[in-house]
Amino acid sequence: GPAGRRTFDYVVVGGGTAGLVVATRLSEDPDTTVAVIEAGPHHVDEPLVDTPEFFSKALGNPAFDWRFVTTPQANLNNAILPQPRGKMLGGSSGLNFIVWDRASQREYDAWEQLGATGWNWNSLLPYFKKTETVAPQLQADIFPQAMQPPQVNFDDFHGRSGPVQPSYNVIYSNVSVPYVETINNIGVGTNSDPYTGNATGVYNTEVAIDRVKNLGKRSYAASTYFNMSSDRPNLTVFLSSQATKINFDLGDSVVSLLSSLLSSLLGLGQMRASSVDVVALNSTGITGRVFARKEVILSGGAFGTPQLLELSGIGNPEILREAGIPTLIDLPAVGENFQDHPSFTQDFEVQNTLFTYDLLRNNATFNASQTAEYSESGTGLLANVQFVLTFSPLKALISSELLATVQDQATALINAPGTSPLARRQHRITRDFLTADDVGNIEFIMFPGGGRTRVAPTPGSAYITVYTCLMHPFSRGSVHVNTSDPMASPLIDPSYLDNDIDRQLALQGVKLARTITQTEPLNALVVGDHSPGANVTTDADWTEFTKDFLTTTYHPIGTAAMLPRELGGVVDPLTLKVHGTANLRVVDASLMPMLIATHPQSTVYAIAERAADIIRGRILGS
Ligand SMILES: Cc1cc2nc3c(=O)[nH]c(=O)nc-3n(C[C@H](O)[C@H](O)[C@H](O)COP(=O)(O)OP(=O)(O)OC[C@H]3O[C@@H](n4cnc5c(N)ncnc54)[C@H](O)[C@@H]3O)c2cc1C
């Protein structure tokens, strides 16, 4: 954009997954000026971002990751856990593990049921499609015997001309088919097309790997949406620039501030965001103020967005007072309602004649040939991330007695005096999910390869890794500031395993992961337990394992929920404007009022596409 310009129609804070969608769509109108303020750099031709098989290698690296951590977790022996987030143009879509899937219709419909008017499966489906270009599976992409290609209705549920280029894998481990058959044998069927509104079952997921335009590279917000819009003169991106505060009205003018404060207190009017304070993080960034003629749009993600709201005086007055921040809008829901999928990683040694990703580690010649193939043609094992996903209804996994106990525990939690009105409503829905056929409660992710637990792989050996993840936990955490210093990380407290249900399902889940490996036909290929070892046997051992080995699945949501104000919402679902403001919107994962059984990125893109249409006045949120 024109050098030196500091006033725009729209200022988007956070050039991540959602932020780049919104900025790209708003700047389609050449008469609308848009700025994006992004704390991270733009990584171009960066193998740690682009190469699918390198997923997770950039975690903890400050050039890519905010490196947030949790507060000590009371139910996990006070462990402090990493909470990585992408710090780059493209945000977490540049750091994530590339899975591209979708939850069940019932789970999106639950958002509307909860109070997010206008947000449901039917209203999102056109936007799921708008975001992607995906080709149907070829025979070669299908797990032999286990999967049939969905021949009909592919175009009803899959996009064919959107910016992101998800695809099916090209190379499959020969452990996949026995694994799928084993999952079938424990009572979970194969789903040939989980994108149609029922996402349960074991399936071959799409992955955000471009096999059309940028061969074999990660397809993420910077390489897709931003690539479409980067040469527009009306779009300006400030990189390595961290937003520290949103200013309202004339900002410095005490009179205008007081009058807008007064009117907001009296419920007469609404605060108007007028500019954003920005600090350069290095010599390529900017320091100063960026002005918004029309609107400020917060897309800082589930941690960045509530932090910036609080730094700007929007939140719980008590929390703000303790942090030394004057309250402008009394909105206690900011930073509350934090939800995340807890995950447990186990690996199992398998016969080393199987074809797994371990070959890259065990065989230097193979590794060199794959590396050469990838750099020459963008193909080979480095252009693949093969996960086999299973989203299982609870009924298929646990006894009806245990299911009844868990339901009773849910009822007790609903009626517990400490449960907030919002959590109460959510828990009622989640209690229904416990017995639903079309909602995944536990996810098992199988990756054919080792090296992903705390126990190092033995040279020459092959493994499968199984991640067990709770899809609809009842725990609720929070994200808050404890200082007015914008450079300090927020306090992130997921409150993992904060109730009997989550603890029980975690226990059942990790035990089931081992059961899967002891069930045929997989059992015949498994050499033995690797991490944890075979010495973990009793419920007490497994419970200790869940406490010691819990990690995030990297799916935080909910900290600026789109719900009515009186129900604990931060953002009006119809307009996505922060309650009490006239022109401050939120568009990112923090909007999601309740977890869904999926990896969230494709949903974040779809939310942002729909949000862009709401902002442009093309649709009303109903
Ligand atoms: C390690 C990891 C693995 C994951 N794996 C998967 C997966 O396989 N599949 C899947 O579907 N999902 C996955 N996810 C989740 C998914 O990537 C996120 O849900 C999604 O990208 C969130 O989008 P967002 O727009 O809300 O936030 P982000 O994409 O994180 O964007 C927020 C942006 O705002 C910027 N920002 C924040 N605060 C400020 C500030 N004050 N000033 C300026 N800029 C700021 C950040 O730098 C970032 O670029 C994973 C996430 C991670 C971290």
Side-chain angles (χ1 to χ4, degrees), residues 295 320 461 523:
E295 296 190 5
L320 298 182
S461 299
N523 178 52

Side-chain angles (χ1 to χ4, degrees), residues 295-525:
E295 296 190 5
V296 175
I297 295 156
L298 279 186
S299 299
F303 303 138
T305 286
Q307 180 188 25
L308 202 54
L309 285 171
E310 291 185 341
L311 288 170
S312 311
I314 302 174
N316 181 334
E318 266 176 51
I319 289 171
L320 298 182
R321 191 175 335 108
E322 273 174 33
I325 301 166
T327 300
L328 293 186
I329 301 178
D330 178 342
L331 200 55
V334 171
E336 295 296 316
N337 189 47
F338 175 101
Q339 297 163 58
D340 187 17
H341 294 143
S343 170
F344 309 91
T345 314
Q346 290 159 258
D347 61 0
F348 304 86
E349 190 178 340
V350 294
Q351 289 171 7
N352 67 359
T353 48
L354 289 165
F355 175 68
T356 67
Y357 284 76
D358 300 289
L359 215 51
L360 291 170
R361 192 181 55 247
N362 290 334
N363 185 331
T365 318
F366 178 75
N367 191 322
S369 75
Q370 291 301 309
T371 305
E373 180 182 338
Y374 184 69
S375 66
E376 274 158 31
S377 58
T379 57
L381 206 53
L382 269 51
N384 282 263
V385 179
Q386 204 221 319
F387 293 113
V388 181
L389 306 188
T390 305
F391 288 90
S392 181
L394 217 44
K395 277 188 207 166
L397 301 178
I398 65 175
S399 69
S400 48
E401 291 78 21
L402 190 54
L403 188 53
T405 307
V406 171
Q407 282 176 287
D408 289 345
Q409 288 169 331
T411 304
L413 202 57
I414 290 164
N415 297 328
T419 305
S420 73
L422 172 57
R424 197 161 285 157
R425 268 203 197 197
Q426 293 169 331
H427 293 346
R428 284 203 190 97
I429 293 172
T430 310
R431 185 179 53 188
D432 289 343
F433 286 174
L434 293 171
T435 50
D437 291 323
D438 54 353
V439 175
N441 280 285
I442 295 185
E443 180 189 10
F444 298 106
I445 307 169
M446 194 281 283
F447 175 73
R452 300 189 174 268
T453 57
R454 274 186 231 159
V455 184
T458 308
S461 299
Y463 301 87
I464 60 167
T465 303
V466 180
Y467 304 84
T468 301
C469 316
L470 303 187
M471 291 293 100
H472 289 288
F474 287 77
S475 302
R476 295 291 180 269
S478 63
V479 178
H480 290 298
V481 297
N482 67 340
T483 163
S484 59
D485 176 5
M487 294 302 158
S489 294
L491 296 182
I492 298 171
D493 180 9
S495 292
Y496 290 122
L497 303 191
D498 199 26
N499 57 79
D500 292 338
I501 309 164
D502 294 359
R503 288 190 285 266
Q504 178 66 252
L505 295 184
L507 170 65
Q508 297 305 321
V510 294
K511 285 164 66 178
L512 273 157
R514 181 185 280 169
T515 305
I516 290 167
T517 67
Q518 294 175 339
T519 304
E520 298 298 351
L522 188 60
N523 178 52
L525 306 174

Side-chain angles (χ1 to χ4, degrees), residues 12-20 37-40 56 59 65-66 68 83-101 221 238 241-245 278 299-305 307-308 311 387 486 553-557 587-590 592 598-605:
V12 178
V13 178
T17 316
L20 289 183
I37 298 166
E38 168 54 46
S56 84
L59 295 184
D65 181 359
W66 284 85
F68 295 127
Q83 279 286 356
R85 287 284 98 189
K87 190 178 195 175
M88 66 183 98
L89 200 65
S92 298
S93 71
L95 186 69
N96 72 23
F97 293 2
I98 284 181
V99 172
W100 186 265
D101 61 348
F238 298 105
S241 303
Q242 185 164 334
T244 55
K245 190 167 176 266
V278 183
S299 299
F303 303 138
T305 286
Q307 180 188 25
L308 202 54
L311 288 170
F387 293 113
T553 317
Y554 317 105
H555 300 164
I557 61 133
V587 183
D588 59 28
S590 57
M592 292 190 209
T598 186
H599 301 251
Q601 67 170 335
S602 77
T603 303
V604 174
Y605 282 103

